[in-house]
Amino acid sequence: MQVQVRGEGVRKWVVFGAIAFGALFMIVGLILAGVSVSYLAGAERAPGRVVALEWRNDHTSSSRKKRVNDEPAAYPVIEFTSNDGTPRKFRDAAGTNPPSYEVGEQVEVLYRADSPEDARINGFASLWLLPLIFGGIGLLFSGIGTVIALVMRRHS
């Protein structure tokens, strides 16, 4: 009987941990979404053009394990002119394989007037991918933990 009580206590802590982990990830996702919304609200817009694709392997060289997808990712290099007439160039933070953009492709660039070097492509991956990943993982963990907690409560 005492072993069962200990086991139930452990299960409750695991469920609580899953819900707490999920809530933390949802909060991080909401914060990242807020950062994107704030960036959008204060951003200047300019036409840009993909001038190059920078291929990079992002894994560390100290890792000796062969990963499933060990191929390099293409990061678009964008050229645009800010409102002050200065030509600018930046590498987008989101790299993909296969490439999301082609050299010569026209894109819309978002940048802050006070900090034009902090520019982003006005696209899904640049603005919403991280908030959705964190929010989705958080929703999954807290949802599973909540369902398990409700089932455990019904059975007791």
Side-chain angles (χ1 to χ4, degrees):
M1 182 72 155
Q2 194 165 351
V3 174
Q4 186 177 11
V5 171
R6 283 187 188 162
E8 187 174 319
V10 169
R11 275 182 261 155
K12 284 182 181 178
W13 277 108
V14 169
V15 168
F16 174 76
I19 293 171
F21 179 79
L24 179 66
F25 264 62
M26 280 195 291
I27 290 169
V28 170
L30 287 172
I31 290 170
L32 290 171
V35 167
S36 287
V37 168
S38 172
Y39 189 87
L40 278 170
E44 300 286 331
R45 297 170 189 270
R49 187 172 59 86
V50 179
V51 294
L53 294 175
E54 188 177 301
W55 290 89
R56 296 180 38 200
N57 278 334
D58 283 342
H59 61 280
T60 59
S61 59
S62 62
S63 173
R64 294 208 168 112
K65 285 186 175 180
K66 182 88 170 155
R67 295 185 320 184
V68 175
N69 184 4
D70 221 10
E71 297 177 12
Y75 292 81
V77 178
I78 313 300
E79 195 173 75
F80 73 101
T81 303
S82 58
N83 284 346
D84 64 2
T86 307
R88 310 233 180 229
K89 192 185 283 191
F90 72 98
R91 181 180 55 83
D92 196 50
T96 58
N97 190 356
S100 297
Y101 300 96
E102 295 178 8
V103 174
E105 186 174 344
Q106 299 293 319
V107 295
E108 184 177 40
V109 175
L110 301 171
Y111 68 95
R112 294 199 184 270
D114 60 343
S115 176
E117 61 278 351
D118 179 26
R120 301 178 191 176
I121 295 174
N122 187 7
F124 176 78
S126 299
L127 296 171
W128 306 113
L129 188 60
L130 278 179
L132 282 175
I133 288 172
F134 275 91
I137 289 172
L139 190 61
L140 181 70
F141 271 87
S142 60
I144 289 171
T146 302
V147 167
I148 292 172
L150 291 173
V151 168
M152 284 173 52
R153 188 173 183 171
R154 271 200 181 147
H155 285 281
S156 59

